[in-house]
Amino acid sequence: VQLQASGGGLVQAGGSLRLSCAATGPTLSIYAMGWFRQAPGKEREFVAAVTWSGNRISYADSVKGRFTISRGNAENTLYLQMNNLVPGDTAVYYCAAGPSFRVTRVGYDVWGQGTLVTVSS
């Protein structure tokens, strides 16, 4: 499986962005996909995750009510709709896939290349 993330950019505080992550290859091996982010000088942190079937979703407390993770089944694509962005959301966002549903980096064995989101105040 290979993952290609896109959709990052520069946005003002209060604005919105939608990130996409296209999965190619043997996607039948994927049980769950997630979004993580890494701000400068900080550890990579969990943002959101969803099972491939879409029946289980989890969000980090910091993004609940503002971000929505979803899957486009026919397109093998993962999305992250980000609304009401704040400067603290500035980071490189990575998508990941793996054989189990986790809210930590452990368990995700395929990673996309990352897309930069910058939120100005």
Side-chain angles (χ1 to χ4, degrees):
V1 175
Q2 291 186 322
L3 304 177
Q4 179 73 37
S6 62
L10 174 64
V11 63
Q12 288 187 333
S16 299
L17 279 176
R18 188 175 82 155
L19 305 183
S20 300
C21 177
T24 58
T27 56
L28 287 178
S29 64
I30 298 174
Y31 180 78
M33 295 187 73
W35 288 99
F36 291 76
R37 66 186 182 186
Q38 187 166 15
K42 294 188 176 181
E43 295 288 319
R44 191 172 300 186
E45 65 176 7
F46 169 77
V47 175
V50 61
T51 52
W52 195 247
S53 66
N55 65 349
R56 189 176 178 186
I57 293 176
S58 182
Y59 295 97
D61 288 343
S62 59
V63 306
K64 280 181 181 176
R66 301 188 299 122
F67 291 11
T68 303
I69 189 171
S70 62
R71 282 248 301 108
N73 287 336
E75 307 154 354
N76 285 342
T77 302
L78 179 72
Y79 301 101
L80 184 69
Q81 177 66 42
M82 306 186 295
N83 297 329
N84 195 19
L85 285 159
V86 299
D89 295 320
T90 295
V92 176
Y93 283 71
Y94 299 89
C95 57
S100 59
F101 183 84
R102 298 292 180 94
V103 297
T104 64
R105 294 175 61 179
V106 175
Y108 292 94
D109 50 10
V110 180
W111 291 82
Q113 84 288 2
T115 184
L116 177 63
V117 172
T118 304
V119 183
S120 63
S121 57

